[in-house]
Amino acid sequence: HTNADARFYYDASVGGSWVSPINSGYLAWDGTFGHEFNFIRETTDTSTNANVSITSLTICGQPTAIGCTSAVADGSHHVVEGSATIKFKSSMPSSLRDDTAAHEFGHYLGLGHSDHRSATMYEVVTEGQVSLHSADRLGRCQIYGHAHGYWGGC
């Protein structure tokens, strides 16, 4: 991510009923007050953008997976530009799309799974997790820190 910005684009498979839930997913992370980080949706693919797509195929080698993010991270857990793909299963129930998108964009930030059952980053996505838990915000803060002008650490 350049200057704590994560650039991504929607490939041709993303449309219709998928745009709003995916937008909600990344905007949940952009809305965490005081953190130096932004998702930036681009309109075209470049070598630095993550590819977001919808597929009917098995993702992450797991037949039951409904979302999958793959990326290469550096020693600070920052995702290496151009290395990420974010995929969503086309057969996913619409009631889980916002929550799954928030979870997968958390992986794009470099976060792993949380032990907190109510966290967006809990290993099993359930409805109502698009609102970030304090554990989610703390994980983001530990990787990216606070924006200039804010005080208090993580």
Side-chain angles (χ1 to χ4, degrees), residues 8-15 19 22 41-45 50-55 85-87:
F8 67 96
Y9 76 101
Y10 295 162
D11 77 4
S13 66
V14 178
V19 173
I22 295 173
R41 181 179 165 202
E42 301 285 1
T43 56
T44 59
D45 180 18
N51 175 12
V52 178
S53 64
I54 311 299
T55 183
T85 60
I86 303 170
K87 295 181 181 184

Short mmCIF file of all heavy atoms in Angstrom, two decimals, residues 8-15 19 22 41-45 50-55 85-87:
data_model
loop_
_atom_site.label_atom_id
_atom_site.label_comp_id
_atom_site.label_asym_id
_atom_site.label_seq_id
_atom_site.Cartn_x
_atom_site.Cartn_y
_atom_site.Cartn_z
N PHE A 8 -7.60 -0.74 -5.37
CA PHE A 8 -8.22 -1.95 -5.89
C PHE A 8 -9.15 -1.56 -7.02
O PHE A 8 -9.50 -0.40 -7.20
CB PHE A 8 -8.96 -2.70 -4.79
CG PHE A 8 -10.15 -1.96 -4.26
CD1 PHE A 8 -11.42 -2.21 -4.74
CD2 PHE A 8 -9.99 -0.98 -3.29
CE1 PHE A 8 -12.51 -1.52 -4.27
CE2 PHE A 8 -11.08 -0.28 -2.80
CZ PHE A 8 -12.34 -0.55 -3.29
N TYR A 9 -9.55 -2.54 -7.80
CA TYR A 9 -10.53 -2.31 -8.86
C TYR A 9 -11.46 -3.50 -8.95
O TYR A 9 -11.13 -4.60 -8.52
CB TYR A 9 -9.86 -2.05 -10.21
CG TYR A 9 -9.31 -3.30 -10.86
CD1 TYR A 9 -10.00 -3.93 -11.89
CD2 TYR A 9 -8.12 -3.87 -10.42
CE1 TYR A 9 -9.52 -5.09 -12.46
CE2 TYR A 9 -7.63 -5.01 -11.01
CZ TYR A 9 -8.33 -5.62 -12.02
OH TYR A 9 -7.86 -6.78 -12.58
N TYR A 10 -12.67 -3.26 -9.46
CA TYR A 10 -13.64 -4.32 -9.68
C TYR A 10 -13.47 -4.81 -11.11
O TYR A 10 -13.53 -4.02 -12.05
CB TYR A 10 -15.07 -3.80 -9.54
CG TYR A 10 -15.45 -3.33 -8.15
CD1 TYR A 10 -16.55 -2.52 -7.97
CD2 TYR A 10 -14.73 -3.70 -7.02
CE1 TYR A 10 -16.95 -2.10 -6.71
CE2 TYR A 10 -15.11 -3.28 -5.76
CZ TYR A 10 -16.21 -2.48 -5.61
OH TYR A 10 -16.58 -2.06 -4.37
N ASP A 11 -13.26 -6.12 -11.28
CA ASP A 11 -13.17 -6.61 -12.64
C ASP A 11 -14.59 -6.74 -13.21
O ASP A 11 -15.57 -6.41 -12.56
CB ASP A 11 -12.34 -7.90 -12.72
CG ASP A 11 -13.06 -9.14 -12.27
OD1 ASP A 11 -14.27 -9.10 -11.94
OD2 ASP A 11 -12.40 -10.20 -12.25
N ALA A 12 -14.70 -7.23 -14.44
CA ALA A 12 -15.97 -7.26 -15.15
C ALA A 12 -17.02 -8.14 -14.47
O ALA A 12 -18.21 -7.99 -14.73
CB ALA A 12 -15.75 -7.74 -16.58
N SER A 13 -16.62 -9.04 -13.58
CA SER A 13 -17.58 -9.92 -12.91
C SER A 13 -18.38 -9.21 -11.82
O SER A 13 -19.40 -9.71 -11.38
CB SER A 13 -16.85 -11.13 -12.31
OG SER A 13 -15.99 -10.72 -11.26
N VAL A 14 -17.91 -8.05 -11.36
CA VAL A 14 -18.57 -7.33 -10.27
C VAL A 14 -19.60 -6.37 -10.87
O VAL A 14 -19.27 -5.50 -11.64
CB VAL A 14 -17.57 -6.54 -9.41
CG1 VAL A 14 -18.30 -5.76 -8.31
CG2 VAL A 14 -16.52 -7.45 -8.81
N GLY A 15 -20.83 -6.56 -10.48
CA GLY A 15 -21.87 -5.68 -10.97
C GLY A 15 -23.16 -5.94 -10.22
O GLY A 15 -23.22 -6.77 -9.30
N VAL A 19 -22.08 -4.55 -6.05
CA VAL A 19 -21.36 -3.29 -5.87
C VAL A 19 -21.61 -2.69 -4.49
O VAL A 19 -20.68 -2.35 -3.76
CB VAL A 19 -21.69 -2.28 -6.98
CG1 VAL A 19 -21.09 -0.91 -6.69
CG2 VAL A 19 -21.19 -2.80 -8.32
N ILE A 22 -19.99 -4.72 -1.48
CA ILE A 22 -18.53 -4.61 -1.49
C ILE A 22 -18.11 -3.21 -1.06
O ILE A 22 -17.17 -3.04 -0.28
CB ILE A 22 -17.94 -5.02 -2.86
CG1 ILE A 22 -18.21 -6.51 -3.12
CG2 ILE A 22 -16.44 -4.74 -2.90
CD1 ILE A 22 -17.83 -6.97 -4.52
N ARG A 41 -10.77 3.02 -4.63
CA ARG A 41 -11.30 2.21 -5.74
C ARG A 41 -10.91 2.87 -7.05
O ARG A 41 -11.27 4.01 -7.33
CB ARG A 41 -12.81 2.09 -5.62
CG ARG A 41 -13.38 1.24 -6.73
CD ARG A 41 -14.88 1.10 -6.59
NE ARG A 41 -15.42 0.59 -7.84
CZ ARG A 41 -16.66 0.72 -8.21
NH1 ARG A 41 -17.52 1.32 -7.43
NH2 ARG A 41 -17.06 0.23 -9.36
N GLU A 42 -10.17 2.14 -7.85
CA GLU A 42 -9.76 2.61 -9.18
C GLU A 42 -10.73 2.06 -10.22
O GLU A 42 -11.45 1.10 -9.97
CB GLU A 42 -8.33 2.12 -9.49
CG GLU A 42 -7.29 2.60 -8.50
CD GLU A 42 -6.92 4.06 -8.66
OE1 GLU A 42 -7.47 4.75 -9.52
OE2 GLU A 42 -6.06 4.52 -7.89
N THR A 43 -10.71 2.65 -11.40
CA THR A 43 -11.61 2.19 -12.46
C THR A 43 -10.94 1.22 -13.42
O THR A 43 -11.61 0.59 -14.21
CB THR A 43 -12.16 3.39 -13.25
OG1 THR A 43 -11.07 4.15 -13.77
CG2 THR A 43 -13.03 4.26 -12.35
N THR A 44 -9.62 1.13 -13.37
CA THR A 44 -8.91 0.22 -14.26
C THR A 44 -7.85 -0.56 -13.50
O THR A 44 -7.42 -0.17 -12.41
CB THR A 44 -8.20 0.98 -15.40
OG1 THR A 44 -7.29 1.92 -14.82
CG2 THR A 44 -9.20 1.71 -16.28
N ASP A 45 -7.42 -1.63 -14.09
CA ASP A 45 -6.37 -2.46 -13.51
C ASP A 45 -5.01 -1.83 -13.79
O ASP A 45 -4.74 -1.37 -14.88
CB ASP A 45 -6.43 -3.86 -14.12
CG ASP A 45 -5.37 -4.78 -13.56
OD1 ASP A 45 -4.82 -4.49 -12.49
OD2 ASP A 45 -5.10 -5.80 -14.21
N ALA A 50 -5.32 -4.22 -6.39
CA ALA A 50 -5.87 -5.54 -6.09
C ALA A 50 -7.06 -5.77 -7.01
O ALA A 50 -7.82 -4.86 -7.31
CB ALA A 50 -6.30 -5.63 -4.65
N ASN A 51 -7.24 -7.01 -7.43
CA ASN A 51 -8.35 -7.39 -8.29
C ASN A 51 -9.47 -7.94 -7.42
O ASN A 51 -9.27 -8.89 -6.67
CB ASN A 51 -7.88 -8.45 -9.28
CG ASN A 51 -9.00 -8.99 -10.14
OD1 ASN A 51 -10.09 -8.46 -10.17
ND2 ASN A 51 -8.72 -10.08 -10.83
N VAL A 52 -10.67 -7.35 -7.51
CA VAL A 52 -11.86 -7.82 -6.80
C VAL A 52 -12.77 -8.49 -7.82
O VAL A 52 -13.10 -7.87 -8.84
CB VAL A 52 -12.60 -6.67 -6.09
CG1 VAL A 52 -13.86 -7.18 -5.40
CG2 VAL A 52 -11.68 -5.98 -5.10
N SER A 53 -13.17 -9.73 -7.56
CA SER A 53 -13.99 -10.46 -8.53
C SER A 53 -15.01 -11.35 -7.86
O SER A 53 -14.92 -11.66 -6.67
CB SER A 53 -13.10 -11.29 -9.45
OG SER A 53 -12.41 -12.29 -8.71
N ILE A 54 -15.98 -11.78 -8.66
CA ILE A 54 -17.03 -12.69 -8.24
C ILE A 54 -16.86 -13.96 -9.07
O ILE A 54 -16.67 -13.88 -10.28
CB ILE A 54 -18.44 -12.11 -8.50
CG1 ILE A 54 -18.57 -10.68 -7.99
CG2 ILE A 54 -19.53 -13.01 -7.95
CD1 ILE A 54 -18.37 -10.49 -6.53
N THR A 55 -16.94 -15.13 -8.43
CA THR A 55 -16.75 -16.37 -9.17
C THR A 55 -17.68 -17.46 -8.65
O THR A 55 -18.08 -17.43 -7.48
CB THR A 55 -15.28 -16.84 -9.10
OG1 THR A 55 -15.13 -18.00 -9.89
CG2 THR A 55 -14.86 -17.13 -7.67
N THR A 85 -5.56 -10.45 -4.51
CA THR A 85 -6.82 -10.74 -5.19
C THR A 85 -7.87 -10.97 -4.11
O THR A 85 -7.59 -11.58 -3.08
CB THR A 85 -6.75 -11.98 -6.10
OG1 THR A 85 -6.42 -13.11 -5.31
CG2 THR A 85 -5.73 -11.80 -7.22
N ILE A 86 -9.06 -10.46 -4.33
CA ILE A 86 -10.18 -10.63 -3.42
C ILE A 86 -11.31 -11.25 -4.22
O ILE A 86 -11.74 -10.67 -5.22
CB ILE A 86 -10.62 -9.29 -2.80
CG1 ILE A 86 -9.45 -8.62 -2.09
CG2 ILE A 86 -11.80 -9.50 -1.86
CD1 ILE A 86 -9.72 -7.19 -1.67
N LYS A 87 -11.75 -12.44 -3.81
CA LYS A 87 -12.79 -13.15 -4.55
C LYS A 87 -13.98 -13.43 -3.65
O LYS A 87 -13.81 -13.73 -2.47
CB LYS A 87 -12.25 -14.47 -5.09
CG LYS A 87 -11.16 -14.29 -6.11
CD LYS A 87 -10.67 -15.61 -6.65
CE LYS A 87 -9.56 -15.36 -7.66
NZ LYS A 87 -9.10 -16.58 -8.28
#
